[in-house]
Coordinates of all heavy atoms in Angstrom, one line a residue:
I68 N 0.5 5.2 0.8 CA 0.3 4.2 1.8 C 0.2 4.9 3.1 O 1.1 5.6 3.5 CB 1.5 3.2 1.8 CG1 1.6 2.5 0.4 CG2 1.3 2.2 2.9 CD1 2.8 1.6 0.3
V69 N -0.9 4.7 3.7 CA -1.2 5.4 5.1 C -1.3 4.2 6.1 O -2.3 3.5 5.9 CB -2.4 6.3 5.1 CG1 -2.5 6.9 6.4 CG2 -2.3 7.4 4.0
T70 N -0.4 4.1 7.0 CA -0.5 3.0 8.0 C -0.6 3.5 9.4 O 0.4 4.1 9.9 CB 0.6 2.0 7.7 OG1 0.5 0.9 8.7 CG2 2.0 2.6 7.8
T71 N -1.7 3.2 10.1 CA -1.8 3.4 11.5 C -1.8 2.0 12.2 O -1.9 1.9 13.4 CB -3.1 4.2 11.8 OG1 -4.2 3.5 11.3 CG2 -3.0 5.6 11.3
S72 N -1.8 1.0 11.4 CA -1.7 -0.4 11.9 C -0.6 -1.1 11.2 O 0.6 -0.7 11.4 CB -3.1 -1.1 11.5 OG -3.1 -2.4 11.9
T73 N -0.8 -2.1 10.4 CA 0.2 -2.8 9.6 C -0.2 -3.0 8.2 O -1.3 -3.4 7.9 CB 0.5 -4.2 10.3 OG1 0.9 -4.0 11.6 CG2 1.6 -4.9 9.5
V74 N 0.7 -2.7 7.3 CA 0.6 -3.0 5.9 C 1.7 -3.9 5.5 O 2.9 -3.7 5.7 CB 0.7 -1.7 5.0 CG1 0.7 -2.1 3.5 CG2 -0.5 -0.8 5.3
V75 N 1.3 -5.1 5.0 CA 2.3 -6.1 4.5 C 2.1 -6.3 3.0 O 1.0 -6.6 2.6 CB 2.1 -7.5 5.2 CG1 3.0 -8.5 4.7 CG2 2.2 -7.3 6.7
I76 N 3.2 -6.0 2.3 CA 3.2 -6.2 0.9 C 4.2 -7.2 0.6 O 5.4 -7.2 0.9 CB 3.6 -4.8 0.2 CG1 2.6 -3.7 0.5 CG2 3.8 -5.0 -1.3 CD1 3.0 -2.3 0.1
G77 N 3.7 -8.3 0.0 CA 4.6 -9.5 -0.3 C 5.7 -9.3 -1.3 O 6.0 -8.2 -1.7
E78 N 6.3 -10.4 -1.7 CA 7.4 -10.3 -2.7 C 6.8 -10.2 -4.1 O 5.7 -10.7 -4.4 CB 8.2 -11.6 -2.6 CG 8.9 -11.8 -1.3 CD 9.7 -13.1 -1.2 OE1 9.5 -13.9 -2.1 OE2 10.5 -13.2 -0.3
N79 N 7.5 -9.6 -5.0 CA 7.1 -9.5 -6.4 C 5.7 -8.9 -6.7 O 5.0 -9.2 -7.6 CB 7.1 -10.9 -7.1 CG 8.5 -11.6 -6.9 OD1 9.5 -11.0 -7.3 ND2 8.6 -12.7 -6.4
V80 N 5.4 -7.9 -5.8 CA 4.1 -7.2 -6.0 C 4.4 -6.0 -6.8 O 5.4 -5.3 -6.7 CB 3.6 -6.8 -4.6 CG1 2.4 -5.9 -4.7 CG2 3.2 -8.0 -3.7
D81 N 3.4 -5.7 -7.7 CA 3.5 -4.5 -8.6 C 2.3 -3.6 -8.2 O 1.2 -4.0 -8.3 CB 3.4 -4.9 -10.1 CG 4.7 -5.6 -10.5 OD1 5.7 -4.9 -10.5 OD2 4.6 -6.7 -11.0
I82 N 2.7 -2.4 -7.8 CA 1.6 -1.4 -7.4 C 1.8 -0.3 -8.4 O 2.8 0.5 -8.4 CB 1.8 -1.0 -6.0 CG1 1.7 -2.2 -5.0 CG2 0.7 0.1 -5.6 CD1 1.9 -1.8 -3.5
A83 N 0.8 -0.1 -9.3 CA 0.8 0.8 -10.4 C 0.5 2.3 -9.8 O 0.2 2.5 -8.7 CB -0.3 0.4 -11.4
P84 N 0.7 3.2 -10.7 CA 0.4 4.7 -10.3 C -0.9 4.9 -9.7 O -1.9 4.3 -10.0 CB 0.6 5.4 -11.6 CG 1.5 4.6 -12.4 CD 1.1 3.2 -12.1
N85 N -0.9 5.9 -8.7 CA -2.1 6.4 -8.1 C -2.9 5.4 -7.3 O -4.1 5.6 -7.2 CB -3.0 7.1 -9.2 CG -2.2 8.2 -9.9 OD1 -1.6 9.1 -9.2 ND2 -2.2 8.2 -11.2
V86 N -2.3 4.4 -6.8 CA -3.0 3.5 -5.9 C -2.9 4.0 -4.4 O -2.0 4.6 -4.0 CB -2.3 2.1 -6.0 CG1 -2.7 1.2 -4.8 CG2 -2.5 1.5 -7.3
Y87 N -4.0 3.8 -3.7 CA -4.1 4.2 -2.3 C -4.3 2.9 -1.5 O -5.2 2.1 -1.8 CB -5.3 5.1 -2.1 CG -5.6 5.4 -0.6 CD1 -4.9 6.3 0.1 CD2 -6.5 4.6 0.1 CE1 -5.1 6.6 1.4 CE2 -6.7 4.8 1.4 CZ -6.0 5.8 2.1 OH -6.2 6.0 3.5
I88 N -3.5 2.8 -0.4 CA -3.6 1.7 0.5 C -3.7 2.4 1.9 O -2.8 3.1 2.3 CB -2.4 0.8 0.5 CG1 -2.3 0.1 -0.9 CG2 -2.5 -0.3 1.6 CD1 -1.0 -0.6 -1.2
G89 N -4.8 2.1 2.7 CA -4.9 2.7 4.0 C -5.4 1.7 5.1 O -6.1 0.8 4.7
T90 N -5.0 2.0 6.3 CA -5.4 1.1 7.4 C -6.4 1.8 8.4 O -6.9 1.1 9.3 CB -4.2 0.6 8.2 OG1 -3.5 1.8 8.8 CG2 -3.2 -0.2 7.3
G91 N -6.6 3.1 8.3 CA -7.4 3.8 9.2 C -8.8 4.0 8.7 O -9.0 4.3 7.6
T92 N -9.8 3.9 9.7 CA -11.2 4.2 9.4 C -11.8 4.6 10.7 O -11.2 4.9 11.6 CB -11.8 3.0 8.7 OG1 -13.1 3.4 8.3 CG2 -11.9 1.8 9.6
H93 N -13.2 4.7 10.6 CA -13.9 5.2 11.8 C -15.1 4.2 12.0 O -15.7 3.7 11.1 CB -14.4 6.6 11.6 CG -13.3 7.6 11.6 ND1 -12.9 8.2 12.7 CD2 -12.6 8.1 10.5 CE1 -11.9 9.1 12.3 NE2 -11.7 9.0 11.0
I94 N -15.6 4.2 13.2 CA -16.8 3.5 13.5 C -17.9 4.5 13.3 O -17.8 5.7 13.6 CB -16.9 3.1 15.0 CG1 -15.8 2.0 15.2 CG2 -18.2 2.6 15.4 CD1 -15.6 1.6 16.7
V95 N -19.0 4.1 12.6 CA -20.1 5.0 12.3 C -20.8 5.3 13.6 O -21.2 4.4 14.3 CB -21.0 4.4 11.2 CG1 -22.3 5.3 11.1 CG2 -20.3 4.2 9.9
D96 N -21.0 6.6 13.9 CA -21.6 7.0 15.2 C -22.8 8.0 14.8 O -22.6 9.2 14.6 CB -20.6 7.7 16.0 CG -21.1 8.2 17.4 OD1 -22.3 7.9 17.7 OD2 -20.4 8.8 18.1
I97 N -24.0 7.4 14.8 CA -25.1 8.3 14.4 C -25.7 9.1 15.6 O -26.5 10.0 15.5 CB -26.3 7.4 13.8 CG1 -26.8 6.4 14.8 CG2 -25.9 6.8 12.5 CD1 -28.0 5.6 14.3
K98 N -25.2 8.8 16.8 CA -25.6 9.5 18.0 C -24.6 10.6 18.4 O -24.9 11.4 19.3 CB -25.8 8.5 19.2 CG -27.0 7.6 18.9 CD -27.2 6.7 20.0 CE -28.4 5.7 19.6 NZ -28.7 4.8 20.7
G99 N -23.5 10.6 17.9 CA -22.5 11.6 18.3 C -22.6 12.9 17.5 O -23.6 13.1 16.7
N100 N -21.6 13.8 17.6 CA -21.6 15.1 16.9 C -21.2 14.9 15.5 O -21.4 15.9 14.7 CB -20.6 16.0 17.6 CG -21.1 16.4 19.0 OD1 -22.3 16.4 19.3 ND2 -20.2 16.7 19.9
R101 N -20.6 13.8 15.1 CA -20.2 13.6 13.7 C -20.4 12.1 13.4 O -20.3 11.3 14.3 CB -18.8 14.1 13.4 CG -17.8 13.5 14.3 CD -16.3 13.9 14.0 NE -16.3 15.3 13.8 CZ -15.2 16.0 14.0 NH1 -14.1 15.4 14.4 NH2 -15.2 17.3 13.8
I102 N -20.7 11.8 12.2 CA -20.9 10.4 11.8 C -19.7 9.6 11.8 O -19.7 8.4 12.1 CB -21.6 10.4 10.4 CG1 -22.2 9.0 10.1 CG2 -20.6 10.7 9.3 CD1 -23.5 8.8 10.8
A103 N -18.5 10.2 11.6 CA -17.2 9.5 11.7 C -16.8 9.5 13.2 O -16.3 10.4 13.8 CB -16.1 10.2 10.9
G104 N -17.2 8.4 13.9 CA -17.0 8.2 15.3 C -15.5 7.8 15.6 O -14.6 8.3 14.9
K105 N -15.3 7.0 16.6 CA -14.0 6.6 17.1 C -13.2 6.0 15.9 O -13.6 5.3 15.1 CB -14.1 5.6 18.2 CG -12.8 5.1 18.7 CD -13.1 4.0 19.7 CE -11.7 3.5 20.2 NZ -11.8 2.3 21.0
G106 N -11.9 6.5 15.8 CA -11.0 6.0 14.8 C -10.5 4.6 15.2 O -10.2 4.3 16.4
I107 N -10.4 3.8 14.2 CA -9.9 2.4 14.4 C -8.9 2.1 13.2 O -8.9 2.8 12.2 CB -11.0 1.4 14.4 CG1 -11.8 1.4 13.1 CG2 -11.9 1.5 15.6 CD1 -12.9 0.3 13.0
S108 N -8.0 1.1 13.5 CA -7.1 0.7 12.5 C -7.3 -0.8 12.2 O -7.5 -1.6 13.1 CB -5.6 0.9 13.0 OG -5.4 2.3 13.1
K109 N -7.1 -1.2 10.9 CA -7.2 -2.5 10.5 C -6.1 -2.8 9.5 O -5.8 -2.0 8.6 CB -8.6 -2.8 9.8 CG -9.8 -2.6 10.6 CD -11.0 -2.8 9.9 CE -12.3 -2.7 10.7 NZ -13.5 -3.0 9.9
E110 N -5.5 -4.0 9.7 CA -4.3 -4.4 8.8 C -4.7 -4.6 7.4 O -5.9 -4.9 7.1 CB -3.7 -5.7 9.4 CG -3.1 -5.5 10.7 CD -2.4 -6.7 11.2 OE1 -2.2 -7.7 10.4 OE2 -1.9 -6.8 12.3
V111 N -3.8 -4.4 6.5 CA -3.9 -4.7 5.1 C -2.8 -5.6 4.7 O -1.6 -5.4 5.0 CB -3.8 -3.4 4.2 CG1 -3.7 -3.7 2.8 CG2 -5.0 -2.5 4.5

Side-chain angles (χ1 to χ4, degrees):
I68 300 171
V69 182
T70 178
T71 55
S72 179
T73 301
V74 173
V75 177
I76 298 169
E78 298 177 350
N79 303 305
V80 172
D81 290 300
I82 301 179
N85 301 311
V86 168
Y87 171 84
I88 300 167
T90 61
T92 188
H93 294 270
I94 295 173
V95 174
D96 181 3
I97 60 171
K98 294 181 180 180
N100 293 332
R101 58 175 49 149
I102 197 77
K105 179 184 175 190
I107 58 173
S108 295
K109 297 180 178 182
E110 294 184 7
V111 170

